[in-house]
């Protein structure tokens, strides 16, 4: 029996309305432009990409903070669009969101106990009132905080500890999916590793699935089962983590991996990384054809006009490039013109 | 030895709080030194002290900062001001807050030539455009007329580098120069800095990112709780850490380069600078800690091959590396 995926995105298009000029026509920035993605039960899928690639817009669509322009977000097989208010409310229990900034996402006037029990007030029936204190203590223990500190306020905790509070809060409603939007990006390395270890432990113990959104390619490699690389609103390459890292086939993935500084780089400093020309184009005016062609060193004429589909192209996993070819070991890669 | 910059025994205090509690470092001519550490380690305060740009409430309590043999701490403010730009320059993480939003970028760079070189407006503008072209800003003559908000993050950082290098200083201090940038843009800026290194510019890179340091520096100082805890060449420090904190940092850093190996966190939290642990500040988080570490503060001491470590048990840490490497 194949298990029902927790989350499915089907041709998701989502974005933001703009107005051009004083009397201008309404425009639409398609920050996410046709994304397909599945997260299985207990699976960790990482969305990786640079600023403006639409990864946070995906997160907002998944938790229903942003209605899709077209396409579907399905939770446990059911489209969010088809749910009534009561069902949406129930759905919100099962999907939780953890943000980058634990300073901004906790109400400073509430105690840790109030922060954690808030959801139980909103969703009665998760935890009986007489069990609250015991459950709070258990949750704090589970995320590595001292249960005796339940009466404290957020400012009495460090950044890493606050992120633990956010995680405890997310767990309090027993979700099946936690969307982490750059949840470890603001933390120091030693603390980041603690939070990753905690998230991994929760995955093993509770079977929770993660949609993990990050720009950090090191974190992805160590945490994800599967990866989807996003570029300007579309997924350009996706597959099992080790496969993407050991044999990236899209030039953008290759450039990202080659450019990501890594703690191991002191070993081999002979090679130069791929340095792309210019800046990331604005998502408001993405280039025609392949959206990467303006920065791509492999681009041919065809790429200016023809949009490459995300499909299996003989490289072992889906990739959206007309000229996809695997690069094994990034040392063998050609070097693009320096950025001048 | 021909050191360009030598900092020794630097201590900086904010009132009662010691933000920097003993830092020594040396930058050779044309060399790049990295200072790594997590938030609150004192790395940025150290670099501001070198620049003579400490905030008003901070003061240097002890130590010496000498540039080519001249102690910067003895200089009068106007002498120091002359050195900034001519000898020392600095770039920051956030170029937008370092630029004046109401003046064109070209004007701001040209101002350096007008004020420092007495150049006429026309000459200064021409040199500003040259400086912009040199750091890889396309259509420099056109872009010089644009305002900071019209530039992308990466281009703004190029503008800052153009401005910092305008008077050809010998030492550039780069404080988290690429932290706010996307990976592919970061690669562009790091390449630009490497080109300047090859042309003989000495640099201090302040970073929390061990990968950026591995790609740019020859030697490295690791800071923890206001102290330098280890220093040496990048290969020495990364390959065989001689301080348990460095060892912990390496193990906690996820690498995009190697397949899945467990990353190991460092237990506990960074210390509160107002209530530092007794003895070695790292001992509550240290797997090597003994009784001695609780009572006796370890000094930064030399180890063979010129590297240093501030750990009572540095030899044991090195033996551990060798065992793990075998």
């Amino acid at each position: 029996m194949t298990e029902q995926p927790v989350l499915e995105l089907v041709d998701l298009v989502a974005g933001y309305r703009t107005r051009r000029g004083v009397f201008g026509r309404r425009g639409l920035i398609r920050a996410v432009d046709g994304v397909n993605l599945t997260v299985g039960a207990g699976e960790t899928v990482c969305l990786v990409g640079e600023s403006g690639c639409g990864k946070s817009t995906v997160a907002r669509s998944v938790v229903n903070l942003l209605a899709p322009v077209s396409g579907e977000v399905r939770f446990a097989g059911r489209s969010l669009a088809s749910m009534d208010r009561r069902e949406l409310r129930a759905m919100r229990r099962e999907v939780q969101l953890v943000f980058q900034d634990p300073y901004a996402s906790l109400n400073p006037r509430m105690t840790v106990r109030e922060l954690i029990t808030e959801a139980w007030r909103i969703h009665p029936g998760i935890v009986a009132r007489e069990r609250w204190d015991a459950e709070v203590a258990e949750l704090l223990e589970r995320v590595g905080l001292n249960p005796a500190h339940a009466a404290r306020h957020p400012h009495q905790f460090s950044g890493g500890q606050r992120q633990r509070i956010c995680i405890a809060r997310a767990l309090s409603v027993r979700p099946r999916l936690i969307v982490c939007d750059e949840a470890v990006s603001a933390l120091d390395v030693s603390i980041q590793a603690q939070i990753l270890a905690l998230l991994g432990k929760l995955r093993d113990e509770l079977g929770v699935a993660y949609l993990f959104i990050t720009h950090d390619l090191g974190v992805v490699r160590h945490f994800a089962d599967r990866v989807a690389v996003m570029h300007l609103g579309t997924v350009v390459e996706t597959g099992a983590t080790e496969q993407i890292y050991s044999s990236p086939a899209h030039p953008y993935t290759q450039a990202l991996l080659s450019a990501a500084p890594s703690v191991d780089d002191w070993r081999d400093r002979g090679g130069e990384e791929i340095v792309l020309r210019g800046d990331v184009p604005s998502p408001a005016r993405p280039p025609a054809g392949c959206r990467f062609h303006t920065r791509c060193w492999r681009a041919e004429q065809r790429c200016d006009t023809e949009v490459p589909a995300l499909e299996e192209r003989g490289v072992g996993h889906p990739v959206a490039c007309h000229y996809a070819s695997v690069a094994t070991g990034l040392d063998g890669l050609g070097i693009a013109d320096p950025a001048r | 030895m021909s050191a360009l910059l030598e900092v020794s025994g630097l201590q900086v205090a904010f009132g009662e709080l010691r933000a920097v509690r003993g830092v020594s470092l040396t930058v050779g001519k044309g060399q790049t030194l990295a200072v790594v550490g997590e938030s609150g380690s004192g790395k940025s305060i150290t670099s501001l002290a070198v620049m003579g740009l400490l905030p008003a409430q901070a003061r240097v309590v002890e130590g010496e900062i000498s540039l080519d043999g001249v102690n910067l701490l003895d200089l009068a403010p106007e002498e120091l001001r002359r050195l900034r730009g001519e000898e020392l320059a600095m770039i920051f993480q956030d170029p937008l807050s370092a630029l004046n939003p109401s003046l064109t970028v070209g004007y701001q760079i040209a101002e350096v030539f007008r004020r420092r070189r007495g150049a006429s407006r026309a000459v200064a503008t021409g040199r500003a455009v040259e400086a912009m072209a040199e750091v890889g800003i396309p259509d420099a003559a056109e872009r010089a007329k644009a305002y900071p908000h019209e530039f992308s993050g990466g281009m703004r950082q190029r503008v800052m580098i153009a401005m910092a290098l305008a008077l050809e200083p010998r030492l550039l201090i780069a404080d988290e120069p690429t932290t706010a940038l996307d990976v592919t843009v970061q690669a562009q800026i790091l390449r630009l800095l490497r080109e300047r290194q090859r042309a003989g510019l000495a640099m201090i890179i302040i970073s929390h990112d061990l990968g950026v340091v591995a790609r740019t520096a020859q030697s490295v100082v690791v800071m923890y709780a206001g102290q330098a805890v280890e220093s040496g060449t990048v290969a020495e420090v990364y390959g065989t850490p001689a301080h348990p904190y460095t060892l912990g940092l390496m193990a906690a850093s996820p690498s995009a380069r190697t397949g899945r190996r467990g990353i190991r966190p460092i237990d506990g939290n960074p210390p509160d600078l107002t209530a530092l642990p007794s003895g070695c500040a790292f001992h509550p988080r240290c797997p090597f800690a003994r009784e001695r570490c609780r009572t006796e503060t370890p000094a930064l001491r030399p180890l063979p091959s010129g590297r240093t470590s501030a750990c009572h048990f540095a030899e044991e840490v090195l033996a551990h590396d060798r065992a793990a490497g075998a």
Side-chain angles (χ1 to χ4, degrees), chain A residues 65-183:
Chain A
L65 286 172
L66 185 71
V69 172
S70 67
E72 260 184 341
V73 177
R74 284 191 204 139
F75 190 75
R78 294 208 41 213
S79 167
L80 295 190
S82 74
M83 293 184 187
D84 61 29
R85 279 183 57 157
R86 226 188 57 242
E87 288 171 310
L88 277 175
R89 202 178 147 101
M91 187 280 299
R92 283 207 188 95
R93 257 188 65 181
E94 309 224 46
V95 186
Q96 289 291 307
L97 188 56
V98 176
F99 293 101
Q100 171 167 2
D101 184 358
Y103 291 82
S105 42
L106 295 172
N107 184 337
R109 291 172 175 235
M110 292 168 86
T111 64
V112 170
R113 184 180 183 281
E114 287 165 345
L115 286 163
I116 291 176
T117 55
E118 191 181 17
W120 299 338
R121 259 179 261 275
I122 296 165
H123 298 287
I126 302 178
V127 177
R129 199 156 195 134
E130 63 272 15
R131 288 269 312 142
W132 281 15
D133 284 326
E135 282 272 332
V136 167
E138 211 168 285
L139 275 169
L140 290 179
E141 195 120 23
R142 199 182 267 288
V143 299
L145 291 172
N146 185 346
H149 293 171
R152 294 192 177 182
H153 288 86
H155 75 266
Q156 292 169 289
F157 295 88
S158 69
Q161 290 170 326
R162 285 185 215 203
Q163 202 57 300
R164 290 176 192 268
I165 299 172
C166 293
I167 293 168
R169 224 164 107 83
L171 287 178
S172 70
V173 293
R174 300 175 185 151
R176 295 170 62 191
L177 175 71
I178 299 182
V179 179
C180 297
D181 191 357
E182 301 280 8

Side-chain angles (χ1 to χ4, degrees), chain B residues 18-281:
Chain B
R18 293 276 158 112
V20 176
R21 306 179 300 129
V23 170
S24 300
L25 51 86
T26 308
V27 187
K29 293 197 168 87
Q31 296 285 299
T32 295
L33 171 79
V35 181
V36 297
E38 300 181 286
S39 14
S41 63
K43 55 193 194 303
S44 290
I45 297 296
T46 301
S47 62
L48 290 174
V50 172
M51 289 298 290
L53 291 174
L54 283 174
Q57 65 276 32
R59 68 202 162 84
V60 174
V61 182
E62 231 182 279
E64 212 169 276
I65 301 172
S66 71
L67 183 75
D68 247 352
V70 179
N71 189 352
L72 299 183
L73 298 173
D74 294 340
L75 292 183
E78 60 272 22
E79 287 176 288
L80 197 56
R81 201 171 307 133
R82 192 193 60 80
L83 283 187
R84 282 197 295 263
E86 305 277 352
E87 301 280 340
L88 299 166
M90 187 160 181
I91 57 173
F92 299 90
Q93 173 173 343
D94 177 14
L96 194 55
S97 60
L99 289 164
N100 185 331
S102 58
L103 297 172
T104 65
V105 160
Y107 183 91
Q108 293 182 63
I109 302 175
E111 200 176 15
V112 177
F113 297 108
R114 289 168 61 193
R115 295 197 55 160
R116 294 300 190 85
R117 293 283 183 266
S120 69
R121 194 168 208 148
V123 170
T125 305
R127 298 202 41 193
V129 170
E130 279 169 38
M132 286 173 69
E134 217 156 284
V135 295
I137 299 175
D139 308 320
E142 235 358 85
R143 297 298 280 156
K145 295 174 201 152
Y147 292 87
H149 76 268
E150 298 173 273
F151 285 74
S152 65
M155 283 297 157
R156 263 179 228 142
Q157 197 56 286
R158 286 176 196 264
V159 169
M160 289 314 298
I161 294 171
M163 203 181 282
L165 301 184
L167 302 177
E168 296 170 33
R170 286 192 293 168
L171 177 69
L172 176 70
I173 301 180
D175 188 355
E176 304 275 4
T178 59
T179 303
L181 304 175
D182 276 323
V183 177
T184 59
V185 178
Q186 166 171 276
Q188 296 171 352
I189 298 296
L190 293 182
R191 170 175 287 192
L192 175 64
L193 291 177
R194 274 202 301 272
E195 283 168 13
R196 300 297 126 155
Q197 286 174 325
R198 280 190 215 111
L201 178 68
M203 285 203 303
I204 298 180
I205 296 228
I206 313 287
S207 183
H208 72 284
D209 187 325
L210 294 167
V212 167
V213 168
R215 284 192 179 196
T216 50
Q218 281 105 16
S219 53
V220 57
V221 172
V222 181
M223 286 189 68
Y224 185 78
Q227 263 182 322
V229 295
E230 172 161 15
S231 73
T233 66
V234 167
E236 282 169 343
V237 173
Y238 279 53
T240 53
H243 193 284
Y245 175 61
T246 317
L247 193 63
L249 270 186
M250 297 294 157
S253 298
S255 163
R257 215 61 70 213
T258 54
R260 190 177 291 212
R261 63 174 161 88
I263 50 170
R264 277 195 315 281
I266 302 177
D267 291 336
N269 289 296
D272 177 355
L273 289 178
T274 60
L276 283 173
S278 62
C280 172

Side-chain angles (χ1 to χ4, degrees), chain A:
Chain A
M1 190 189 101
T2 52
E3 230 180 311
Q4 173 92 263
V6 180
L7 177 76
E8 290 162 280
L9 305 182
V10 184
D11 295 324
L12 179 71
V13 177
Y16 307 94
R17 302 222 163 266
T18 59
R19 220 180 255 283
R20 290 206 189 91
V22 185
F23 304 105
R25 280 164 308 162
R26 275 162 162 273
L28 175 72
I29 295 175
R30 294 158 77 98
V32 172
D33 202 359
V35 165
N36 291 285
L37 191 77
T38 347
V39 182
E43 192 185 26
T44 299
V45 176
C46 277
L47 265 185
V48 64
E50 298 181 285
S51 20
C53 75
K55 53 194 195 298
S56 291
T57 305
V58 168
R60 294 180 49 135
S61 308
V62 168
V63 295
N64 206 27
L65 286 172
L66 185 71
V69 172
S70 67
E72 260 184 341
V73 177
R74 284 191 204 139
F75 190 75
R78 294 208 41 213
S79 167
L80 295 190
S82 74
M83 293 184 187
D84 61 29
R85 279 183 57 157
R86 226 188 57 242
E87 288 171 310
L88 277 175
R89 202 178 147 101
M91 187 280 299
R92 283 207 188 95
R93 257 188 65 181
E94 309 224 46
V95 186
Q96 289 291 307
L97 188 56
V98 176
F99 293 101
Q100 171 167 2
D101 184 358
Y103 291 82
S105 42
L106 295 172
N107 184 337
R109 291 172 175 235
M110 292 168 86
T111 64
V112 170
R113 184 180 183 281
E114 287 165 345
L115 286 163
I116 291 176
T117 55
E118 191 181 17
W120 299 338
R121 259 179 261 275
I122 296 165
H123 298 287
I126 302 178
V127 177
R129 199 156 195 134
E130 63 272 15
R131 288 269 312 142
W132 281 15
D133 284 326
E135 282 272 332
V136 167
E138 211 168 285
L139 275 169
L140 290 179
E141 195 120 23
R142 199 182 267 288
V143 299
L145 291 172
N146 185 346
H149 293 171
R152 294 192 177 182
H153 288 86
H155 75 266
Q156 292 169 289
F157 295 88
S158 69
Q161 290 170 326
R162 285 185 215 203
Q163 202 57 300
R164 290 176 192 268
I165 299 172
C166 293
I167 293 168
R169 224 164 107 83
L171 287 178
S172 70
V173 293
R174 300 175 185 151
R176 295 170 62 191
L177 175 71
I178 299 182
V179 179
C180 297
D181 191 357
E182 301 280 8
V184 298
S185 305
L187 305 173
D188 278 322
V189 188
S190 67
I191 305 302
Q192 170 179 289
Q194 291 178 2
I195 299 296
L196 286 174
L198 170 64
L199 293 172
K201 184 185 84 148
L202 298 173
R203 175 171 61 192
D204 297 343
E205 291 176 0
L206 307 175
V208 59
Y210 294 109
L211 178 60
F212 201 88
I213 292 167
T214 183
H215 68 280
D216 187 320
L217 292 144
V219 168
V220 172
R221 187 160 198 175
H222 291 274
F223 195 66
D225 298 319
R226 281 193 301 121
V227 185
V229 181
M230 278 192 80
H231 176 262
L232 278 181
T234 63
V235 172
V236 295
E237 183 161 11
T238 181
T241 306
E242 267 318 297
Q243 196 177 16
I244 300 295
Y245 277 77
S246 60
S247 45
H250 196 286
Y252 179 64
T253 313
Q254 291 167 0
L256 269 186
L257 290 178
S258 147
S262 171
V263 61
D264 300 317
D265 287 348
W266 63 274
R267 287 175 206 279
D268 171 32
R269 304 215 288 180
E272 287 275 301
E273 68 278 78
I274 301 171
V275 177
L276 296 174
R277 279 163 286 192
D279 288 314
V280 186
S282 159
R285 290 176 303 279
C290 171
R291 293 180 172 198
F292 185 58
H293 84 258
T294 54
R295 303 177 82 200
C296 183
W297 67 97
R298 264 195 242 148
E300 312 257 343
Q301 203 151 26
R302 177 181 177 195
C303 307
D304 300 353
T305 51
E306 205 179 310
V307 180
L310 180 67
E311 58 195 24
E312 176 67 50
R313 292 166 187 268
V315 296
H317 57 264
V319 53
C321 173
H322 297 305
Y323 304 99
S325 69
V326 168
T328 46
L330 286 162
D331 318 330
L333 285 175
I335 293 161
D337 298 335
R340 33 186 326 180

